[in-house]
Amino acid sequence: MKVFALASLLISLPAQLLTGNYNYSYYGEALHSAPGMTFATFFDAQTLGVELGSPEDIVVYDEEIYIIDSDTNGLIIVDHDFNLVSEYYTFVPTQTYLDYLSDNGLPPVTEITLYRPNGIDITEDAIYICDTGNYRIVKLNKDFEVIATFSEMDDQTFIKEDDPSTTVDESIDVISFEPKKITVDNTGRMYVVAKNIFEGIMEINYDGEFNRFTGVNPLKLTPVEIFRRSLMTEDQLDQLQLYLPTEYTNVKINEESFIYATSKVSTNNDENPIQLINPKGVDVIKRNGYHPPMADVHYVVGRNNYVIDGPSDLVDIANTVD
């Protein structure tokens, strides 16, 4: 049976690469398919005339494209014709933010810069940036001025630690909260994917107060593994491989406050890399097809120049309203 399955992969996967557009039958066979989309155009650092070292996230708002780059630590804005509109590398604080610093005994700042930013989202009245290297979320108004920053989370999950690589002001405590991706609902509530946080998506109130985790990726253990663990001592359990829920890679909220999310494929999460999480934190995406929405159903584990190597690596997701 294993030999037959491997032979099927070696025959079908090269066909996928040759046809370019394919889908899967009920039996998992790759079939030629009409393209859902066709290539139109592209833009890059050269066509824009700017530096783009490592663009990490992109969002489209009001017919403009906002790109956050973790290498140049900049925010680049492109219009619908793919022409450069503006680029920002420093942000001036508003008087409201300066008053906040003064009220909390913090020194005033003349400008704020980003350090290894990884995520961005835009609402009707604000721009939110995951300033990952500075352990904070930066909130801007539509004039690209800083109106707030959110860093410390009042939860035992986030333990203070020293990190000499950060560029945060020395008077601000450095914590293990490293936001990577963000999406914001119409009330200003933030949903954040943070580095090394496996409890789920962080829900943060409009004022920066941590609320809860939502959308936890479930762990899957076989009956044999469950029975085997039930017979082990505490010392034996401590020596076993640590099973952790899969980290999310990106999130995007829709108008009904449901969150589209992508995550990495792993042994414990091989059929739900795309999820639709409702306000209760439950994945309610419809799986009515022959196979769950996970991009490539068949892949070969290991490097090979002729077949698809490993599962599809989903890094972003977007939803549109017709």
Side-chain angles (χ1 to χ4, degrees):
M1 190 67 175
K2 292 183 179 178
V3 174
F4 174 76
L6 179 59
S8 299
L9 286 175
L10 294 177
I11 293 172
S12 64
L13 291 178
Q16 298 170 11
L17 300 180
L18 293 175
T19 57
N21 302 287
Y22 57 93
N23 208 331
Y24 290 99
S25 70
Y26 173 82
Y27 299 101
E29 300 170 326
L31 303 175
H32 176 72
S33 174
M37 295 183 180
T38 56
F39 174 79
T41 187
F42 77 96
F43 64 90
D44 56 16
Q46 185 174 358
T47 60
L48 294 177
V50 299
E51 290 187 34
L52 273 178
S54 182
E56 297 290 346
D57 206 1
I58 183 172
V59 64
V60 179
Y61 184 85
D62 198 19
E63 296 190 356
E64 290 187 331
I65 304 168
Y66 293 73
I67 306 167
I68 203 73
D69 190 284
S70 66
D71 188 35
T72 62
N73 300 316
L75 171 62
I76 295 92
I77 304 173
V78 180
D79 65 19
H80 64 280
D81 292 320
F82 310 114
N83 298 312
L84 179 66
V85 174
S86 55
E87 50 186 317
Y88 296 90
Y89 299 95
T90 59
F91 305 94
V92 177
T94 60
Q95 187 59 49
T96 301
Y97 182 65
L98 292 175
D99 291 342
Y100 164 80
L101 294 178
S102 177
D103 293 342
N104 287 272
L106 302 173
V109 294
T110 56
E111 64 181 20
I112 283 181
T113 58
L114 307 175
Y115 183 51
R116 299 200 315 268
N118 272 265
I120 183 172
D121 196 25
I122 301 175
T123 63
E124 185 176 351
D125 58 358
I127 301 169
Y128 298 78
I129 298 175
C130 288
D131 191 9
T132 309
N134 280 329
Y135 298 85
R136 65 187 176 187
I137 297 169
V138 177
K139 182 179 179 181
L140 310 174
N141 60 23
K142 289 305 179 69
D143 293 322
F144 302 95
E145 300 170 326
V146 179
I147 55 180
T149 57
F150 310 114
S151 53
E152 292 190 20
M153 295 294 119
D154 186 17
D155 188 82
Q156 62 181 0
T157 304
F158 309 101
I159 304 172
K160 296 181 180 180
E161 61 183 8
D162 295 327
D163 186 351
S165 65
T166 183
T167 60
V168 177
D169 190 279
E170 292 181 357
S171 61
I172 301 177
D173 290 330
V174 177
I175 61 175
S176 59
F177 167 59
E178 296 183 62
K180 295 182 64 178
K181 305 297 178 183
I182 185 171
T183 188
V184 185
D185 67 14
N186 53 17
T187 67
R189 187 182 293 112
M190 297 167 277
Y191 296 88
V192 178
V193 174
K195 184 178 180 181
N196 296 326
I197 298 297
F198 300 95
E199 287 81 0
I201 300 168
M202 297 176 58
E203 182 181 287
I204 303 173
N205 294 332
Y206 72 94
D207 57 356
E209 181 182 354
F210 174 76
N211 188 17
R212 61 166 182 160
F213 290 105
T214 186
V216 180
N217 266 323
L219 287 176
K220 295 181 180 179
L221 295 178
T222 66
V224 175
E225 289 174 325
I226 296 174
F227 176 72
R228 181 165 156 260
R229 285 168 172 261
S230 67
L231 301 177
M232 291 184 177
T233 64
E234 291 294 333
D235 291 337
Q236 290 174 325
L237 289 173
D238 291 339
Q239 296 177 12
L240 287 179
Q241 177 185 357
L242 183 63
Y243 285 92
L244 295 173
T246 306
E247 279 187 284
Y248 289 101
T249 56
N250 220 318
V251 286
K252 182 63 180 178
I253 200 165
N254 65 14
E255 294 182 344
E256 289 77 32
S257 295
F258 284 56
I259 300 173
Y260 285 95
T262 55
S263 59
K264 295 180 180 179
V265 173
S266 67
T267 304
N268 290 308
N269 179 36
D270 57 353
E271 292 188 352
N272 63 335
I274 302 174
Q275 300 180 32
L276 179 60
I277 302 168
N278 67 11
K280 293 183 178 180
V282 180
D283 177 22
V284 294
I285 194 169
K286 294 182 179 179
R287 293 175 170 85
N288 295 331
Y290 295 141
H291 308 282
M294 57 179 294
D296 286 305
V297 174
H298 291 318
Y299 53 86
V300 173
V301 178
R303 186 170 299 280
N304 193 304
N305 293 329
Y306 302 99
V307 296
I308 296 173
D309 177 22
S312 299
D313 190 9
L314 306 178
V315 297
D316 204 350
I317 190 167
N319 66 291
T320 58
V321 179
D322 296 331

